[in-house]
Amino acid sequence: MLTKWLTAYMLFFVVVQCFAGNIHTGLFAFPIGFALAVAAIAVLYVLERERGQAKWLVAMRSPKMACALLSLTTAACIAVGSVPSLSPFSTSWPFVALLVALAMHLTLIVIHRLRSFSLKRDGAFMAVHGGLWLALACGLVGAADTSELRTMVTTDHETTRAFDPQGRAVPLPYALQLRDFSIERNKADGSPTQYAATVAIDGKPTRLAVNSPYQMSMSEDIYLMSFDARGSQANRVSCVLQIVRQPLKYPMLAGIVLLLAGVVFNLKRLI
């Protein structure tokens, strides 16, 4: 029965994909995505409280369902990560529906266990499942509000706009201008080993280096991506910056930390 339900569920969204194409994530930007998530949690809470022993709800939170959903999700993620041409699949209806089903499964488990929660008995279990739920929920809800922009900065003038992956201009709430640039080179062959730049953000000098971004806020980071050296002087260099906005980055990281803490605690109990 479980296999039939899951197969029917996935086939439905395969049909939707054929007619509607990939999901336009912008439709679920805040507050729409947040409101849908809250509504879904409320509905699942009521169902679990009122009909927690119904066969289909028991099946939804069963270990078999967990194995099936995790196996399918892992296989899909490996396929998307290994084959670049499959990257659009990450915004397809079947893939998102699979993640939503996993989030619903975890929600039911967490709600069910909270109804008779004991810290000593359920602490590690809730850390693992609650951490995974938090990371997944933040990833789903925050995906529509996550963006990656790129802009080029020079010493000639301030930059107040960036461009999204589709080439559309996006205004920035601050001004960027390159002040200084330096390159560390390999003594053997002269190839660049590290480069850094001083960028003025609204007139305030800020140091950026490869793998060392500047944190504009809790949800926005600025990375130094590349440079174009058109001459030997610093004022003949331009740098490409990447601006990454992730509103739910830290709640997602908190979920991952909670998940790892639960795994470590479980391992200690087994040793």
Side-chain angles (χ1 to χ4, degrees), residues 197-213:
T198 299
V199 177
I201 304 177
D202 281 339
K204 178 184 176 182
T206 302
R207 193 69 171 170
L208 298 175
V210 176
N211 298 322
S212 180

Side-chain angles (χ1 to χ4, degrees), residues 59-73:
M60 271 292 294
R61 61 174 188 262
S62 67
K64 288 184 178 180
M65 177 63 82
C67 292
L69 291 174
L70 287 173
S71 298
L72 289 173
T73 303

Side-chain angles (χ1 to χ4, degrees), residues 153-159 175-179 198-201:
V153 292
T154 67
T155 57
D156 301 331
H157 56 80
E158 290 185 334
T159 298
L176 301 169
Q177 185 173 11
L178 181 64
R179 292 285 181 85
T198 299
V199 177
I201 304 177

Side-chain angles (χ1 to χ4, degrees), residues 214-226:
Y214 174 71
Q215 186 180 59
M216 277 293 298
S217 66
M218 292 286 286
S219 61
E220 184 170 339
D221 298 302
I222 301 178
Y223 293 81
L224 176 61
M225 296 299 296
S226 61

Side-chain angles (χ1 to χ4, degrees), residues 22-30 33 90-91 96 140-141 143-146:
N22 278 23
I23 298 173
H24 180 52
T25 56
L27 296 174
F28 299 96
F30 185 85
S90 61
T91 57
V96 174
L140 284 169
V141 176
D145 298 293
T146 297

